[in-house]
Amino acid sequence: MREPAALALLLALACAAARAEGPGLGRSAAPSEIARFDISVGPDGVGLPPGSGTAREGRMVYEARCVACHGEKGEGKPNDRLVGGVGALAGQKPATKTVGSYWPYATTVFDYVRRAMPFDAPKSLRDEDVYAVTAYLLHLNGVIGEDATVDAATLPKIEMPNRNGFAPFAPGD
C-alpha cells in the first residue's frame, strides 16, 4: 500500500518539476514584436489607421496578391470563397460562409486582411492597400459601389448583409 502512494508522489513531483522548467522551446516575444500585432480593429472602427481605398484600386492589389488563392472574383479555389452565399446561412444545406454572407462588420474584413493576408506574407500590405482590398471584397459582394471610398470614417458605417446574424456589439466589451 505504501509503495504505490510513494510512487504516485514521486511521479507528481517529477511532473511538477518538468512543467516548471517548460519544454525549452521558443523564446519570449520582445515588446516591439508584440506591438506589431497589437493592431485590433473594433466593429465601431476604433483602431482603424489613417488611409483610404476604393474597390477600383483594390482590384489591382487583389489581382497581384489574392487571386492565386481566392480566384479571379473571390469564388474560391484553392482557398476560401470570399463572395456570394448571401442568405445561405438559413436552412438545411451547409452554409456558404463568405465575406458577404457571414461577416457582420466591414471593419472585421479590414482587420483580418491587415493581420493575416496575403497568406504567404502577412502584414506586408500598406494600410491603403488593405483599405482598397477591403473595398474590392465589399464591392464583389454587392455591399458598396466600385468608386465608394472606405476609410476610418466610412467603414464602420457600412451595413453588412449579416450584421444582425450575431449578438450585437457593445463598445467596451
Side-chain angles (χ1 to χ4, degrees), residues 5-6 10 14 19 22 28 31 38 45 47 55 65 77 89 94 104 106 131-132 140 143 146 160 166 169:
L10 282 174
R19 270 188 253 137
S28 297
D38 188 15
R65 300 298 302 156
K77 296 182 182 175
L89 300 178
Y131 275 117
L140 288 176
V143 176
E146 189 174 37
M160 297 296 286
F166 293 84
F169 170 72

Side-chain angles (χ1 to χ4, degrees), residues 69-83:
C69 292
H70 297 288
E72 286 187 35
K73 299 285 183 184
E75 69 273 14
K77 296 182 182 175
N79 292 332
D80 294 337
R81 181 178 172 180
L82 303 173
V83 175

Side-chain angles (χ1 to χ4, degrees), residues 7-163:
L7 183 59
L9 179 60
L10 282 174
L11 188 59
L13 289 172
C15 289
R19 270 188 253 137
E21 294 174 9
L25 302 173
R27 62 176 176 75
S28 297
S32 63
E33 294 169 316
I34 294 170
R36 277 190 71 224
F37 288 91
D38 188 15
I39 55 171
S40 296
V41 174
D44 56 0
V46 171
L48 284 169
S52 65
T54 67
R56 192 176 303 276
E57 297 162 343
R59 181 174 169 232
M60 292 184 287
V61 177
Y62 182 90
E63 288 176 352
R65 300 298 302 156
C66 312
V67 72
C69 292
H70 297 288
E72 286 187 35
K73 299 285 183 184
E75 69 273 14
K77 296 182 182 175
N79 292 332
D80 294 337
R81 181 178 172 180
L82 303 173
V83 175
V86 174
L89 300 178
Q92 300 298 320
K93 294 181 180 178
T96 302
K97 295 180 180 177
T98 69
V99 168
S101 71
Y102 191 70
W103 294 44
Y105 302 104
T107 55
T108 308
V109 179
F110 179 95
D111 186 62
Y112 184 78
V113 170
R114 179 168 71 156
R115 183 181 304 277
M117 294 291 130
F119 180 72
D120 64 343
K123 295 190 51 50
S124 63
L125 299 176
R126 299 173 311 128
D127 289 337
E128 283 77 14
D129 294 337
V130 177
Y131 275 117
V133 167
T134 300
Y136 186 62
L137 295 175
L138 296 174
H139 170 66
L140 288 176
N141 279 284
V143 176
I144 64 171
E146 189 174 37
D147 293 316
T149 298
V150 296
D151 57 23
T154 60
L155 208 52
K157 296 176 184 171
I158 292 173
E159 286 283 331
M160 297 296 286
N162 196 32
R163 167 77 55 104

